[in-house]
Each structure stands twice: as structure tokens, then as C-alpha cells.
Amino acid sequence: MPHRPYIVGNWKMNGSRAMLAEARAIDRAAGRYPDVQVALAPPFTLIAALREAVTAMGVGGQDCHVNAKGAHTGDVSAPMLVDTGADFVIVGHSERRKDHGESDAVVRAKAEAALAAGLGTIVCVGETLEERDAGKAEAVVSAQVDGSLPTGDAAAEAVAGGKVAVAYEPVWAIGTGRVAQVPDVVAMHAAIRARLLSLYGEAGMKVRILYGGSVNFANAAELLAAEGVGGALVGGASLTAEAFLPIVAAAGSGEG
Ligand code: PEP
């Protein structure tokens, strides 16, 4: 991996204050792996408490609105995330694209709003099983990268500063226990890198490309060692320190 590996846990709509003990345990271990950047994205309700509870790792949101404020009941803006202690946000997760009908254009606007607020941003992309079976995976993901990644001067600066990451998450691998084959992951990460270079020039090399989709203790080392894989976005296996820490360890083992 050319960059410091980035291991991010996405708690999705899981977690209560009782889970802060897990976050503290993850944080203590993160402090023992300074060569790995570790972060958790809890539900909005836990961001402030997590921020208070941890020292070594990043804390982020799972979504933000495209606007900074206004009449958008139930939504949370990027400046609000900053205010509550977040340092990054995930945008364009496939569950948001599916459940909330988020288009590439909306995801791009969210990424740009996040950068404007000073947040690091992880932009998610990934094909469905039907698209992969139809031989369209690379075309679909490349189009998502072209349409969802932030543009403009602020984006160029953020990219050059390493504040933008892409998470390649095949939809069929999320929460299913099905993991993409390593050669397919390597090929897709190379295709994404090509699009990033086209969008940002040489600075596109600064964007870490994470793999996501049923990453766990058993497959993490192999996936993280694969060419072009700059880290992992982890759902289910990030909910406990016991499940998450072996993934952090695999990233820090030097095998990646
Ligand atoms: C995710 O939701 O980003 C994810 C990768 O989930 P899981 O690890 O549970 O497949």
C-alpha cells in the first residue's frame, strides 16, 4: 500500500451509549498501531460521546446534507458534524443510494459540502450483482467515480491534502458474507485509480481507495495486501473490538 492504511468502521444504524466501551477498546488498540489510520463512523447520536471517549482515532458521520442549514427536517449538515466533533464523513454509501435515492450528483454535492466544512470525505461506489453478472461492473463504477467525486478548486486542494478517499464496495458483498475475489478487487481499484488520475491529475494518487464488503478477521490480511487497496471500510465487523481489532492488526502487520 503506498499510503498509510485507513481502516474505517461504519456502525450504520447500530449503537447506543453502552457501546462506548467497544469504541474505547478500539481506540486503545489504535494507539498501538500508529502506522494505521483508524476511524469509526457511529450514528449521529453517538458522535459527540465518541469524540469525548477516544483520542487516537478519527470519528465521522455516515452522511451529511448538501446544504449547510435550513428547512430539512431530520437532516444533518456537514458544519453540524464538525460542530459535534466529527473529522470526516462517509457519502454515497450504497444503502443511502438505494434507501434514499441518492444520485451521483447528490453524492458529489454532499462531498463538496463536506470538504467546504473542512471534513475528510469517503465517497462510496460499487456495482450490483446484476451489473457484475452483465459484465458492466467496471463501467458502472467508473461512471460513479466520474459523477460522485468532488470537483473544483477546493476539491483539488483537499485531494492533494489526502482528505478524499474512495470506498469500493460491491453492493452484493455488503453484509452478505460474500467477499469479492482478490483479482477482481485489484482490477477495480486500478480502474478507479485511472479515473482519479483523469479527474485530478497526479494528485489523484493521493486518494486512498478502500475495499468494503464483508471484511473480517479471516480475509482482511489478503485483501489489504492486494495491490491498490489502501484500507477497508468495515460494517458488521466494526461493531465490537474483538471483531475489528484483527482487521486493524492486519493493516499494521506490514503485509499490506
Ligand atoms: C459497509 O456497509 O460499508 C460494509 C462494508 O458492511 P459489511 O462489512 O457488513 O459488509
Side-chain angles (χ1 to χ4, degrees), residues 56-153:
M57 68 180 183
V59 179
Q62 300 169 14
D63 178 52
C64 66
H65 197 272
V66 300
N67 293 331
K69 62 179 180 174
H72 304 288
T73 303
D75 281 314
V76 171
S77 73
M80 288 170 169
L81 289 178
V82 173
D83 187 52
T84 199
D87 43 63
F88 76 98
V89 64
I90 299 166
V91 295
H93 192 283
S94 61
E95 288 154 12
R96 300 237 21 124
R97 289 178 185 262
K98 179 166 170 282
D99 296 351
H100 300 271
E102 292 186 5
S103 64
D104 288 340
V106 166
V107 174
R108 165 174 284 161
K110 290 184 174 203
E112 291 176 352
L115 295 179
L119 292 168
T121 304
I122 301 172
V123 180
C124 300
V125 294
E127 82 284 359
T128 63
L129 190 56
E130 294 68 36
E131 289 162 343
R132 177 155 287 275
D133 287 346
K136 294 181 184 159
E138 216 171 284
V140 165
V141 170
S142 294
Q144 287 178 336
V145 172
D146 286 352
S148 306
L149 269 285
T151 57
D153 290 347

Side-chain angles (χ1 to χ4, degrees), residues 1-218:
M1 272 180 270
H3 308 282
R4 186 177 175 219
Y6 192 18
I7 307 297
V8 184
N10 172 15
W11 279 7
K12 308 194 184 189
M13 200 173 70
N14 297 293
S16 61
R17 294 180 66 85
M19 271 174 66
L20 292 176
E22 297 294 338
R24 279 195 201 92
I26 291 168
D27 187 58
R28 276 195 298 277
R32 293 197 295 273
Y33 292 95
D35 56 332
V36 182
Q37 186 178 350
V38 181
L40 281 180
F44 293 134
T45 51
L46 285 178
I47 289 174
L50 223 79
R51 179 79 281 165
E52 289 286 307
V54 306
T55 55
M57 68 180 183
V59 179
Q62 300 169 14
D63 178 52
C64 66
H65 197 272
V66 300
N67 293 331
K69 62 179 180 174
H72 304 288
T73 303
D75 281 314
V76 171
S77 73
M80 288 170 169
L81 289 178
V82 173
D83 187 52
T84 199
D87 43 63
F88 76 98
V89 64
I90 299 166
V91 295
H93 192 283
S94 61
E95 288 154 12
R96 300 237 21 124
R97 289 178 185 262
K98 179 166 170 282
D99 296 351
H100 300 271
E102 292 186 5
S103 64
D104 288 340
V106 166
V107 174
R108 165 174 284 161
K110 290 184 174 203
E112 291 176 352
L115 295 179
L119 292 168
T121 304
I122 301 172
V123 180
C124 300
V125 294
E127 82 284 359
T128 63
L129 190 56
E130 294 68 36
E131 289 162 343
R132 177 155 287 275
D133 287 346
K136 294 181 184 159
E138 216 171 284
V140 165
V141 170
S142 294
Q144 287 178 336
V145 172
D146 286 352
S148 306
L149 269 285
T151 57
D153 290 347
E157 197 179 314
V159 165
K163 293 191 77 171
V164 177
V166 171
Y168 167 54
E169 301 203 297
V171 176
W172 47 271
I174 295 177
T176 59
R178 272 189 74 178
V179 186
Q181 299 294 308
V182 168
D184 291 337
V185 172
V186 170
M188 189 62 87
H189 280 230
I192 293 170
R193 180 68 66 202
R195 295 316 311 149
L196 293 170
L197 290 170
S198 162
L199 284 170
Y200 302 119
E202 270 309 299
M205 289 305 293
K206 301 263 186 173
V207 177
R208 279 174 294 188
I209 308 173
L210 319 182
Y211 171 77
S214 297
V215 177
N216 60 32
F217 75 95

